[in-house]
Amino acid sequence: ATKRAELRVEGMTCAACSGAVTRALEARQGVRAAEVNLLRQRASVDFDAAKVSEEDLCQLVEDIGFDASLVS
Ligand code: 9UX
């Protein structure tokens, strides 16, 4: 089943940061789409809950150097 997660992503300061977060999320197996809003410091992610979890999504954003937490 497809779910949507809203993440707070802190530390993005330019469009290349938000682009890197988008690419990292979309490269993950199970992620269908990701939209990252630089000014709002948020990411909306559509994902297959059978393949990836909210915690995995936060962890992968953290792995590329940003703070991430689940909003909903
Ligand atoms: Mo922009 Mo972000 O020059 O890690 S890529 S600050």
Side-chain angles (χ1 to χ4, degrees):
T2 300
K3 292 180 71 177
R4 173 167 291 181
E6 186 81 9
L7 311 187
R8 177 163 179 85
V9 180
E10 289 173 272
M12 301 186 294
T13 56
C14 82
C17 292
S18 48
V21 172
T22 305
R23 280 193 305 279
L25 287 165
E26 289 189 336
R28 182 66 161 78
Q29 199 70 246
V31 171
R32 301 229 161 95
E35 275 184 23
V36 179
N37 187 306
L38 174 62
L39 294 180
R40 291 179 63 237
Q41 302 276 285
R42 293 291 178 97
S44 296
V45 188
D46 293 330
F47 65 101
D48 180 346
K51 293 183 178 167
V52 67
S53 68
E54 286 93 338
E55 291 71 26
D56 294 333
L57 299 175
C58 288
Q59 187 61 55
L60 82 89
V61 172
E62 300 236 343
D63 287 346
I64 62 164
F66 302 97
D67 287 326
S69 55
L70 187 64
V71 175
S72 66

